[in-house]
């Protein structure tokens, strides 16, 4: 229980941005889920998962219902998940996850920021060796739950042995093979866990140290990328400030 949790904890505010941007991100995820499986959560596992995440992010019920209704409209945009990767200043690797209805516009926006900060946007998969791509699920921990026994059971579903526990929220977060997303979600729900919210993440496998001046420049680049509505999450292999020596 170390690398994934500490990285996520140290970078959470920077990655997720302010609340309004979070709601925009989740609204697009709702649209994709509704288009793929319909507007009824009980018949749509992907939508159930997004709604659970919405609740955890304190997204108002009215916002959730409005996003579902909008996703059913005839003029609903066709969002696509696109990932862009490359090197920013000082050799820092950067992944940019987006949901876009216009990839041409989005790649131009992302490339402009890389260029402005002296970075280089690479080809898809060029940074795969620097990050672990994982699916993750967060859910309420059951009273008296035997975590060793639980993890042993979940290994059959390609879930990692390491997990994160948030004692304040009484939640567990597990990580696994992205290809096993549907199977993991189904098993968790069958086991009776509440508010099972799923997502995907990139976890750097080798953090890179920077000096304060370099960190400031990289943070400015991340902030600029996060200003685009299409951008969902920005990941880097820069060592979190709280973890820096």
């Amino acid at each position: 229980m170390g690398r994934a949790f500490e990285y996520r904890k140290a970078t959470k505010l920077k990655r997720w941005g302010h609340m309004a941007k979070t709601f925009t991100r989740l609204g697009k995820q709702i649209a994709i889920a509704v288009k793929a499986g319909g507007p009824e959560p009980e018949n749509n596992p992907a939508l159930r998962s997004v709604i659970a995440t919405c609740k955890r992010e304190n997204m108002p019920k009215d916002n959730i219902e409005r996003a579902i209704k909008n996703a059913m409209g005839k003029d609903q945009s066709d969002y696509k998940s696109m990932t862009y990767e490359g090197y920013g200043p000082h050799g820092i690797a950067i992944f940019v996850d987006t949901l876009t209805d216009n990839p041409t516009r989005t790649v131009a926006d992302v490339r402009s920021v890389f260029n402005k900060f002296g970075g280089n946007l690479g080809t898809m998969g060029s940074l795969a060796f620097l990050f672990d791509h994982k699916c993750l699920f967060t859910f309420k921990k059951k009273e008296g739950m035997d975590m060793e026994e639980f993890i042993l059971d979940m290994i059959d579903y390609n879930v990692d042995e390491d997990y994160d526990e948030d004692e304040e929220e009484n939640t567990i977060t597990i990580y696994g093979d992205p290809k096993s997303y549907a199977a993991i979600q189904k098993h968790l729900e069958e086991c009776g866990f509440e508010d099972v919210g799923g997502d995907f993440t990139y976890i750097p496998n080798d953090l890179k140290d920077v000096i304060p001046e370099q960190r400031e420049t990289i943070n400015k680049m991340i902030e600029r990328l996060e200003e685009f509505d299409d951008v969902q999450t920005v990941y880097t292999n820069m060592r979190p400030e709280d973890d820096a020596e």
Side-chain angles (χ1 to χ4, degrees):
M1 287 194 304
R3 181 168 60 92
F5 178 70
E6 291 303 323
Y7 176 76
R8 280 164 50 77
K9 179 180 179 181
T11 60
K12 183 176 180 181
L13 291 179
K14 176 59 65 180
R15 285 177 52 212
W16 294 119
H18 55 78
M19 187 170 292
K21 184 63 179 293
T22 298
F23 292 172
T24 299
R25 173 177 60 85
L26 292 172
K28 289 185 176 181
Q29 292 182 10
I30 287 175
I32 289 176
V34 169
K35 181 177 180 181
E40 302 297 335
E42 59 268 25
N43 300 321
N44 187 338
L47 182 57
R48 286 200 302 273
S49 178
V50 177
I51 289 175
T53 302
C54 290
K55 291 178 179 178
R56 206 164 49 249
E57 295 285 354
N58 297 316
M59 186 173 182
K61 182 179 179 181
D62 289 346
N63 291 44
I64 297 173
E65 293 176 348
R66 185 164 55 250
I68 293 174
K69 183 178 180 180
N70 290 341
M72 297 167 59
K74 294 181 180 179
D75 297 329
Q76 177 60 37
S77 297
D78 182 12
Y79 292 115
K80 296 180 180 179
S81 178
M82 304 290 294
T83 301
Y84 304 98
E85 51 198 279
Y87 286 96
H90 314 297
I92 294 298
I94 299 177
F95 260 98
V96 185
D97 262 356
T98 72
L99 283 178
T100 177
D101 58 352
N102 188 334
T104 301
R105 177 195 65 219
T106 303
V107 69
D109 289 340
V110 172
R111 179 176 285 113
S112 70
V113 176
F114 271 81
N115 291 342
K116 179 179 180 180
F117 285 86
N120 180 36
L121 190 61
T123 57
M124 184 176 297
S126 60
L127 299 185
F129 68 101
L130 291 175
F131 291 81
D132 294 328
H133 188 204
K134 298 288 183 179
C135 67
L136 62 90
F137 289 90
T138 301
F139 47 89
K140 291 290 184 181
K141 182 180 180 181
K142 293 181 180 180
E143 186 175 352
M145 185 175 174
D146 185 328
M147 288 304 302
E148 185 175 345
E149 181 179 336
F150 169 73
I151 291 297
L152 187 61
D153 173 51
M154 295 305 300
I155 288 177
D156 291 337
Y157 294 86
N158 296 317
V159 168
D160 296 348
E161 293 184 11
D162 290 341
Y163 63 90
D164 303 327
E165 183 172 355
D166 189 326
E167 295 182 356
E168 292 183 6
E169 298 293 333
N170 191 36
T171 60
I172 299 294
T173 298
I174 59 174
Y175 302 84
D177 186 337
K179 296 178 181 178
S180 300
Y181 183 99
I184 295 171
Q185 181 186 8
K186 181 179 179 181
H187 185 65
L188 290 173
E189 291 181 341
E190 289 176 345
C191 289
F193 288 101
E194 298 179 7
D195 298 330
V196 179
D199 207 340
F200 296 89
T201 189
Y202 288 92
I203 302 174
N205 54 45
D206 186 20
L207 296 173
K208 187 177 178 64
D209 292 309
V210 294
I211 61 175
E213 291 79 7
Q214 294 173 334
R215 183 182 304 279
E216 182 178 359
T217 300
I218 296 161
N219 283 340
K220 286 181 179 179
M221 179 178 179
I222 294 171
E223 290 170 1
R224 182 69 188 90
L225 286 167
E226 290 179 337
E227 289 177 4
F228 297 122
D229 287 339
D230 293 338
V231 172
Q232 299 284 284
T233 314
V234 179
Y235 305 92
T236 80
N237 68 341
M238 177 174 65
R239 186 179 301 280
E241 187 171 10
D242 292 346
D243 193 36
E245 296 181 356

